[in-house]
Amino acid sequence: HPLMPVVVTSGIDSEIKAWDVGDGRANETSRKQSSEAPDKDWRRRRETAAPNVTAPEARLCLQQAETHKLRGNDLVKQGAWEDGLREYEAALKKLHFQSPTLELQQSRETLLVSCHLNSAFSRLNLEDYAGAVENCDKVLEIEANIKALFRRATALAELTDFPRAFQDLEAASALEPGNAELER
């Protein structure tokens, strides 16, 4: 049973608790009987897991991401939505790592929020409403954010999901009562 420890004796008066995680040498019949979904799910999580980096590597990734974000901002100011979106996505890829310190984690999260919000804005202008919703969802996983709620509400309204759009607007006005943008 995977939740019950196996006690292993390794000498005189030494016991080690271990958990049985299975054996990769299962026969073909037992493989067919077991579902492949958990194995595929594990592989997907392993492939998409953020790598650990050192502090200098994290700082370099943050600098590169900031550069991509600023390029994206310049492109968006010119109305080049697709090119701007590509730069924001490049920045988000650079931010795919496990931060070694709390300070770097906070910097990473700040940049993640900014890039996802900018991506959502670009996607709204490109009429990719489902993509805008995804970007806003990622911001809201990190923090409660009025811009993310407002942009997600806009995208949801375009997707004719009015109940959820209205919920987002209510949540945004609860975060910042009296906001003129939201009351419009």
Side-chain angles (χ1 to χ4, degrees):
H1 189 277
L3 298 177
M4 299 294 293
V6 177
V7 177
V8 181
T9 306
S10 64
I12 301 171
D13 297 329
S14 297
E15 287 186 354
I16 300 171
K17 288 188 178 179
W19 281 260
D20 182 7
V21 293
D23 187 281
R25 297 172 293 180
N27 63 30
E28 197 62 37
T29 307
S30 65
R31 273 196 207 127
K32 287 179 184 175
Q33 291 172 349
S34 71
S35 154
E36 289 187 28
D39 188 44
K40 286 181 182 177
D41 190 46
W42 176 84
R43 248 189 220 117
R44 181 190 54 75
R45 283 194 318 266
R46 176 73 190 250
E47 289 169 359
T48 60
N52 292 326
V53 296
T54 64
E57 291 170 331
R59 284 187 196 90
L60 178 62
C61 288
L62 288 169
Q63 287 173 342
Q64 292 170 339
E66 182 69 28
T67 300
H68 282 292
K69 185 190 102 168
L70 293 174
R71 271 193 233 139
N73 291 349
D74 291 339
L75 290 164
V76 165
K77 286 176 188 171
Q78 298 168 16
W81 305 111
E82 287 180 19
D83 295 333
L85 181 59
R86 268 194 289 280
E87 289 296 329
Y88 297 136
E89 288 174 345
L92 290 168
K93 284 180 185 173
K94 290 290 181 186
L95 295 171
H96 187 69
F97 62 87
Q98 290 291 327
S99 298
T101 67
L102 183 58
E103 174 193 343
L104 290 171
Q105 177 65 17
Q106 290 169 338
S107 298
R108 179 181 165 273
E109 285 180 359
T110 300
L111 205 46
L112 274 171
V113 166
S114 179
C115 289
H116 278 299
L117 285 172
N118 293 350
S119 293
F121 183 68
S122 295
R123 288 179 190 279
L124 285 171
N125 285 288
L126 291 167
E127 298 180 2
D128 176 12
Y129 303 118
V133 169
E134 285 180 29
N135 283 120
C136 292
D137 286 344
K138 291 188 177 169
V139 170
L140 295 168
E141 287 173 10
I142 297 170
E143 67 181 27
N145 186 293
I146 291 170
K147 278 186 180 179
L149 288 166
F150 185 73
R151 288 179 185 169
R152 186 169 73 174
T154 303
L156 289 169
E158 291 292 337
L159 294 169
T160 66
D161 190 349
F162 299 113
R164 284 184 57 206
F166 188 68
Q167 283 177 332
D168 280 353
L169 290 175
E170 284 182 334
S173 55
L175 281 175
E176 194 175 305
N179 184 317
E181 272 295 304
L182 295 172
E183 290 178 6
R184 253 188 321 142

